[in-house]
Amino acid sequence: EIVMTQSPATLSVSPGERATLSCRASQSVSSNLAWYQQKPGQAPRLLIYGASTRATGIPARFSGSGSGTEFTLTISSLQSEDFAVYYCQQYNNWPRLTFGGGTKVEIK
Amino acid sequence: EVQLVESGGGLVQPGGSLRLSCAASGFTFSSYEMNWVRQAPGKGLEWVSYISSSGSTIYYADSVKGRFTISRDNAKNSLYLQMNSLRAEDTAVYYCARDLGDTVTTGMLDPWGQGTLVTVSS
């Protein structure tokens, strides 16, 4: 099983600031990496796939980078609606999809 | 509008059974592969099961293999998860989620339903 590790667990950021979230895979997943956003009481929503491609309707302030084992999700200027939990997910080892433990982005 | 709506969750005793349903609308259900993903209270996401568009190919996480059965009825635009021999550790919100691709497997999940809570407790 490919283990996905996210850091930090919690990130405190002020509105308008930049947020940088990290995700590490226990072995290479190439660029087969997705990011999801989950708000309280809601289902996850796909943000990024292929490590760097924004899903339909996702604002340009969300960007992804990385390949192999190290990945980053950057939110360039945090808006109030961006405070949420973010999960990375590998699909290189399909069908055994695995997710990271999540990073909670909270208001500083 | 693409929509997935789960139902069937509830409180069940250890060792009991429950059947979850996921009603799909707004897209050609029979063309898409589907998954179940669960989230224990306050925890992260865990993939549970996959079914191909025709239902001919199925996979399970090791944690549920032999106890859970995924199925679909394309005529009814519905996905199911039969859960038997339930354990306390199966307590979670269960989401159905569509594979992003309609002609090829991607492993990316979009959209997701709102989830249904399963609580296993005596």
Side-chain angles (χ1 to χ4, degrees):
Chain A
E1 173 184 309
I2 299 177
V3 177
M4 308 300 293
T5 303
Q6 292 186 242
S7 62
T10 303
L11 187 61
S12 298
V13 185
S14 300
E17 289 189 342
R18 183 187 198 89
T20 302
L21 290 66
S22 295
C23 174
R24 174 177 293 177
S26 61
Q27 64 189 76
S28 177
V29 298
S30 186
S31 294
N32 297 316
L33 190 285
W35 290 93
Y36 298 84
Q37 177 193 65
Q38 186 178 34
K39 297 180 181 179
Q42 296 186 19
R45 176 177 72 145
L46 179 66
L47 294 177
I48 300 283
Y49 61 90
S52 61
T53 302
R54 281 188 303 277
T56 302
I58 302 304
R61 63 180 180 273
F62 291 92
S63 63
S65 64
S67 66
T69 62
E70 301 284 342
F71 301 89
T72 300
L73 174 69
T74 301
I75 312 171
S76 60
S77 177
L78 272 159
Q79 307 298 303
S80 58
E81 62 266 30
D82 300 335
F83 292 96
V85 180
Y86 293 83
Y87 294 95
C88 60
Q89 174 233 325
Q90 67 78 24
Y91 48 94
N92 192 65
N93 193 32
W94 181 90
R96 307 215 172 271
L97 311 178
T98 50
F99 297 83
T103 291
K104 180 180 180 181
V105 178
E106 64 176 23
I107 301 174
K108 186 175 183 180
Chain B
E1 178 193 5
V2 175
Q3 195 169 15
L4 298 170
V5 179
E6 300 93 337
S7 61
L11 175 64
V12 61
Q13 292 187 338
S17 299
L18 213 54
R19 189 195 196 205
L20 306 183
S21 298
C22 170
S25 60
F27 65 100
T28 305
F29 180 71
S30 60
S31 296
Y32 286 85
E33 302 165 13
M34 299 294 295
N35 295 265
W36 287 98
V37 178
R38 68 184 180 183
Q39 185 171 37
K43 302 297 184 181
L45 300 164
E46 180 188 15
W47 171 77
V48 171
S49 185
Y50 157 92
I51 187 167
S52 63
S53 56
S54 67
S56 61
T57 301
I58 285 171
Y59 298 106
Y60 298 100
D62 289 344
S63 57
V64 306
K65 194 177 299 182
R67 300 187 299 122
F68 290 11
T69 302
I70 191 172
S71 63
R72 65 190 297 162
D73 185 336
N74 287 341
K76 295 183 177 180
N77 291 335
S78 293
L79 174 72
Y80 306 101
L81 186 68
Q82 177 66 43
M83 303 185 297
N84 298 331
S85 302
L86 282 162
R87 307 165 179 167
E89 54 265 36
D90 295 319
T91 295
V93 173
Y94 285 74
Y95 297 99
C96 62
R98 190 188 75 175
D99 191 279
L100 185 64
D102 62 349
T103 56
V104 60
T105 303
T106 68
M108 298 166 273
L109 306 179
D110 183 67
W112 301 50
Q114 87 290 347
T116 187
L117 176 62
V118 172
T119 303
V120 184
S121 175
S122 55

